[in-house]
Amino acid sequence: MKFIKASIAATVLTILAFSANAQRVRILDGSIDVLKGVTKLNIQFDYSKMGVGKFETEEEYINKKKEDYNKKETGKGDEWARSWKADRKNRFEPQFKELFAKHSDINIGDYPNEKYTLIFKTTYTEPGFNVYVTRKNAEIDGEAWIVETANPSNVIAKISVQNCPGRTFGGNDYDTGERIQEAYAVAGKGLGKFLDKELK
């Protein structure tokens, strides 16, 4: 939590560094009209069908990175793999929710008794890199599904959230998790603004 709070200021600067149209948000299917007047949404995150970089599945990516790191130093790959997964709850999801809340009148959180649930499904992650002399921004693509909480198979709407870039202000983002964290901040902001505009 301490790290997350410390990064909020940097996140705000990051968001300002991108144009409002850096990411693309649009409805793929269904209608979001049922959300008019809704003040709370249950939130879930889904990474089950996610490509990473040049790999079609996250499992392939993790296995390759873990193997490479373990060859350099015993146990380093296993530690990296644990951090990769832990970053979701510790960094990515809090940033998504934080920026969504700043740009929408809907509060998202652990609200299992609410009628509707927003499931953010990450479909692709580009981890990016920063090796001092050259860099590539992180980026995520995803879909936000609005479903009935009591019957998740009843999908009310599918919203595409594409091209969400992630880097820190000033470019001192040598940590992969930090870059991806900023991409989730951009995604949360973009989706929050979209819903706020469309539901007025």
Side-chain angles (χ1 to χ4, degrees):
M1 287 299 293
K2 185 177 181 180
F3 177 86
I4 295 169
K5 289 179 181 178
S7 67
I8 291 176
T11 297
V12 173
L13 290 173
T14 299
I15 303 306
L16 292 175
F18 295 107
S19 70
N21 297 317
Q23 73 282 344
R24 294 198 305 268
V25 183
R26 63 188 179 89
I27 295 177
L28 293 175
D29 190 31
S31 169
I32 60 172
D33 286 348
V34 296
L35 298 183
K36 288 182 178 179
V38 169
T39 58
K40 285 184 179 180
L41 277 175
N42 189 40
I43 178 74
Q44 295 176 4
F45 293 86
D46 184 349
Y47 308 89
S48 62
K49 295 182 179 179
M50 176 177 73
V52 183
K54 64 181 181 179
F55 297 89
E56 289 188 12
T57 68
E58 181 190 31
E59 183 180 9
E60 291 176 294
Y61 174 74
I62 290 175
N63 288 340
K64 175 62 175 169
K65 293 287 286 186
K66 187 162 65 172
E67 180 183 358
D68 289 347
Y69 279 131
N70 278 335
K71 283 180 180 178
K72 294 178 181 179
E73 181 184 330
T74 302
K76 185 176 181 180
D78 299 280
E79 182 181 344
W80 171 86
R82 285 191 293 270
S83 294
W84 171 266
K85 289 291 183 73
D87 277 347
R88 296 173 177 177
K89 294 291 184 186
N90 296 336
R91 302 168 85 170
F92 307 161
E93 295 170 16
Q95 284 289 273
F96 182 96
K97 291 186 279 190
E98 176 79 25
L99 270 295
F100 182 97
K102 288 181 181 293
H103 298 277
S104 173
D105 290 331
I106 299 175
N107 187 16
I108 57 173
D110 184 20
Y111 304 124
N113 294 322
E114 291 300 316
K115 185 173 183 179
Y116 298 108
T117 293
L118 188 162
I119 306 175
F120 187 77
K121 298 173 176 276
T122 305
T123 55
Y124 176 75
T125 295
E126 167 53 58
F129 57 83
N130 188 340
V131 290
Y132 300 97
V133 294
T134 184
R135 60 166 292 117
K136 181 176 184 178
N137 290 343
E139 184 175 300
I140 65 168
D141 293 334
E143 290 183 6
W145 288 24
I146 307 300
V147 305
E148 190 177 355
T149 303
N151 180 23
S153 62
N154 182 16
V155 182
I156 310 299
K158 296 180 182 180
I159 305 167
S160 173
V161 185
Q162 301 286 307
N163 300 345
C164 303
R167 63 173 291 178
T168 61
F169 187 77
N172 296 318
D173 50 0
Y174 303 109
D175 176 65
T176 300
E178 187 173 353
R179 290 191 300 272
I180 299 174
Q181 171 181 304
E182 302 311 320
Y184 277 90
V186 172
K189 175 187 177 182
L191 181 60
K193 289 183 71 174
F194 177 81
L195 293 179
D196 188 63
K197 177 183 176 182
E198 295 296 317
L199 294 174
K200 284 185 176 177

